[in-house]
Amino acid sequence: MADRRVTPARADLAAAHLKGKVQAERYVEGRVWDVHVGRVSLRTEPSGRAAQDSELLYGERVAVYDVSDEGWAWIQAESDRYVGYVRNEALGEVEAATLRVSALMAPVFSAADLKSTITDFLPMNAMLMVRSRQGDYVEFEHNRFVHQRHLGPPEKDYVSVAERFLGVSYVWGGKTAAGLDCSGLIQTALKATGKAAPRDTDMMEQALGEPVPLSDIRRGDLVFWKGHMGVMLDETRLLHANAFHMLVAIEPLAEAIARIEKVAGPVTSIKRL
């Protein structure tokens, strides 16, 4: 059975490339758009009350397969193939983005002036196109500016990136400094170094790295449980976004194993990238 999380198929509609592979009343080619707001929730259903599966960031590319009369776009994200619903007004024309947001959250100024009105925040890994430069500011849309010190090249160490989110609140489906979940933390940290990763824990466990024994664990290793994951800071300390602390926390791996085992069972694997 196709994984609905990454398969753009409903009973009434499916992506054209799935014709002959899944059953649907009709098949359509996706229209390519970019996200044009700082972040937008990717939801399980076309409703603001539906669960948030993930988030999309400014500059992320999506394929739009349907737009409802109520303004919900049914899309598939290009980066991690996740499928869901976003507000159509969050999308716009495709742009040749070349600059990456390196700050946890970059304020969007209405002018090239730090005292001007803040109109939005762009999360880490948002991608921008340069329209003009004014002093220390980059204009990426008309009268929308970010400071050049909030932009930067890919990072070198995903563990150091993950540490920058220490203390950020736990939010299901989140992947920004406004709140994130366990896989969102790791996906965001890896993306900051230029490495693509699937969205969910089970997908990452299957796709990333090579297995290593607990006795050989070291910095950068990913620790997986059923439905949960974290990254090692060294041979004994685990960094993870978790619903026990309700934030990104550091705790001894031995304590995390003992606690999590009561809820989710034992560690299922340790992977080294």
Side-chain angles (χ1 to χ4, degrees), residues 174-175 181-188 198-201 204 229 241:
K175 61 177 190 180
D181 59 20
C182 65
S183 55
L185 172 65
I186 304 305
Q187 187 192 49
T188 296
R199 180 59 180 89
D200 290 344
T201 302
M204 286 197 204
M229 69 182 301

Side-chain angles (χ1 to χ4, degrees), residues 192-205:
T193 66
K195 184 175 179 60
R199 180 59 180 89
D200 290 344
T201 302
D202 60 324
M203 297 175 178
M204 286 197 204
E205 185 173 17

Side-chain angles (χ1 to χ4, degrees), residues 226-245:
K226 183 178 180 180
H228 188 58
M229 69 182 301
V231 62
M232 297 302 296
L233 297 180
D234 51 36
E235 292 80 4
T236 62
R237 296 180 302 150
L238 178 77
L239 176 76
H240 59 150
N242 66 90
F244 177 77
H245 296 98

